Structures are given as C-alpha cells and as structure tokens.
Amino acid sequence: MTAGHEALSELQMSGLLDVLKWGAPVAFAATDQLFDEDQGHDQGVVGYLNFKHLRDLLDRATSNGRFRLAEGLESVGEDFLKRGITPEAFDSMPSLHEDVVGRRDYKQSPGWAIQGYRVLLQSFPFGKIDEIKWVQRSDAKKRVADQLFVRDNALFDDEEFGLESIPGIPDDDDFAGVTLIAAHAFHPATKQFELYIGQSKNPGYPGDSCWHWKELLLSGGAPAGGTGIPVTHQMPSGGASTDVDDVPVRIKRAGAGEGAGAANG
C-alpha cells in the first residue's frame, strides 16, 4: 500500500474524509452567497471566506472549536449545532464517534487530527493545484512541505544505515504523525470548485512537483460556455454564523483539544 493510499484509508475509516467532502460544498455555497464583485471582492476574499466557513463546518461536525464539549456536559444540543446552517446541511452532516477527530493546530494554522495524520487547510485559485508555491505561504505551510516523506518501494531505508526516520514536522512536539493539506478552490463566476488532499513538498528543482502525492476528492461546477452541476446552496445568507450566545448547551458528541487558529487556509 502506498503512502497516499494508506493515508486515505485511515482518513476514510475515521470519518474525517467524509467530513471534508461534506463541508466543502456547503462552505463554497456560503461563500457564493456573500461574494460580490461589485463590492471589490476578489480571489483573496474567496479564499478567506472559504477558510472561515470550512473551519466552522469541520469544527461543527467533529465537536471542536466553539462546538467543543463543555465541562460537565455529555452532549451538544441540536439547536446549537443547527445554528448557521440549513436543515438540509445539518441532516447530511456526517456523524462521528466520540473523540475520533481532535484539533491539533500548527503555528496558528487550524488542524484536525486522527491517530497518525493531521489535516490543515489551504486555498488556491481554481485549476492551479500544481502551481502552489509553499515558500510564499505561511511559515507553517512552508515547514509542512519540508517534512519527511517515506517513499514507496525504496531500495534502501534509513534503518539499514542505522538512522531513524521520524515522520512529521521536526520542530512540532505537539503532534506525532504526518501533516496533510486539504486544498480547496472555488470560482464564483463559473461555480467551479475543487477539493484535494495530499502531502505537500517544496520542489527541489525547476519543474518539480509541489506534491509528494495528491488525491482529488471533489470537483464540479459549470465552466464558461459549458455545462455542469452548480454548487448546491446549503447555507443561509449569513454563512457559518459565529454569533452564538455564551450559555450552557448540551453537546452532541465529545471533542478534543483545539487551538486558536488563523485565517491562512
């Protein structure tokens, strides 16, 4: 089994892959409702809104962030979880077992982790998945792209030379495992969208790939002059709302620790 297949298998079994595939179209629909070119909105606004919406939706489905289990409570009430999304989006939200996915942020970049794998978010212009320059992104994304990659079917490995191969980011003592990138793109004019997941890398020479491996999880929309399936609007006009009263609520499922996070997705 290749490194990519192994990662995808673990993410699928945990349910995190289903959460990503559920949350991305809902987030894109919310962004589409807020985007207004006549107000000066551009690709930067698209990436920022997608990040905000997707972060909220991933936390919502995994009981992290503002949906984290409060001390002394055993479940989150449905009335709280339903705020900010439509009944259709709520009904289709994946249901995960307790404590399966936890927040494991890296350098203020929000991350969602299972045993052995963590996923960070990164936006990119639609159609340019192979043109991401990680060195021009945040320090966190640059370091993620520098992490060790254990190649498939290598003739020799480090252990044969008395060396130790440690997966993950060398300076990250808070998470032991491989950090992956969920890269998302949405084009508000054509409604085209893409969602990839993979292990990023900083190219070693001109023309080298910016990915060790990547997998397309979702794509759709209607390119200019063509046909396709438009993004289904599953969010109210306010998007993923953060306007929630600070009152005790009943929690639907338990969550794990989470960090502050920053808008770099």
Side-chain angles (χ1 to χ4, degrees), residues 34-232:
L34 295 176
F35 181 84
D36 188 349
E37 190 174 13
D38 291 335
Q39 295 187 45
H41 293 178
D42 55 13
Q43 183 60 46
V45 173
V46 171
Y48 178 81
L49 290 176
N50 281 343
F51 163 74
K52 286 292 189 179
H53 292 140
L54 193 50
R55 181 184 66 177
D56 184 86
L57 290 162
L58 294 182
D59 278 345
R60 188 185 300 263
T62 62
S63 298
N64 285 291
R66 65 190 183 94
F67 303 96
R68 184 182 178 186
L69 177 67
E71 185 177 356
L73 298 179
E74 298 180 354
S75 62
V76 171
E78 285 192 0
D79 59 336
F80 181 55
L81 285 173
K82 287 180 176 179
R83 296 182 188 180
I85 62 176
T86 63
E88 293 79 11
F90 177 79
D91 290 341
S92 62
M93 183 173 70
S95 179
L96 305 186
H97 293 294
E98 296 182 356
D99 298 323
V100 171
V101 178
R103 274 288 290 271
R104 293 293 183 271
D105 299 352
Y106 177 60
K107 292 184 177 292
Q108 296 188 315
S109 186
W112 294 264
I114 61 173
Q115 182 66 36
Y117 294 97
R118 171 174 57 189
V119 177
L120 306 183
L121 301 176
Q122 180 61 60
S123 64
F124 69 96
F126 180 84
K128 298 185 177 181
I129 185 64
D130 293 316
E131 300 177 27
I132 300 175
K133 294 179 173 57
W134 301 110
V135 294
Q136 297 178 4
R137 303 288 177 165
S138 66
D139 183 56
K141 300 300 170 53
K142 178 182 182 299
R143 290 179 179 271
V144 167
D146 277 336
Q147 72 183 321
L148 173 70
F149 177 70
V150 179
R151 297 188 177 278
D152 306 314
N153 303 319
L155 294 177
F156 304 98
D157 56 36
D158 290 347
E159 293 182 357
E160 294 183 59
F161 295 95
L163 303 174
E164 183 179 9
S165 296
I166 302 176
I169 307 170
D171 67 346
D172 183 15
D173 297 327
D174 296 327
F175 180 72
V178 177
T179 298
L180 305 175
I181 300 293
H184 54 90
F186 172 64
H187 195 299
T190 65
K191 316 306 179 190
Q192 291 174 279
F193 61 90
E194 295 175 315
L195 175 67
Y196 284 85
I197 192 165
Q199 183 171 346
S200 58
K201 76 169 182 177
N202 289 312
Y205 53 86
D208 190 15
S209 175
C210 59
W211 298 94
H212 288 293
W213 64 268
K214 67 180 186 299
E215 181 78 10
L216 177 63
L217 298 181
L218 290 174
S219 66
T227 60
I229 301 175
V231 177
T232 301

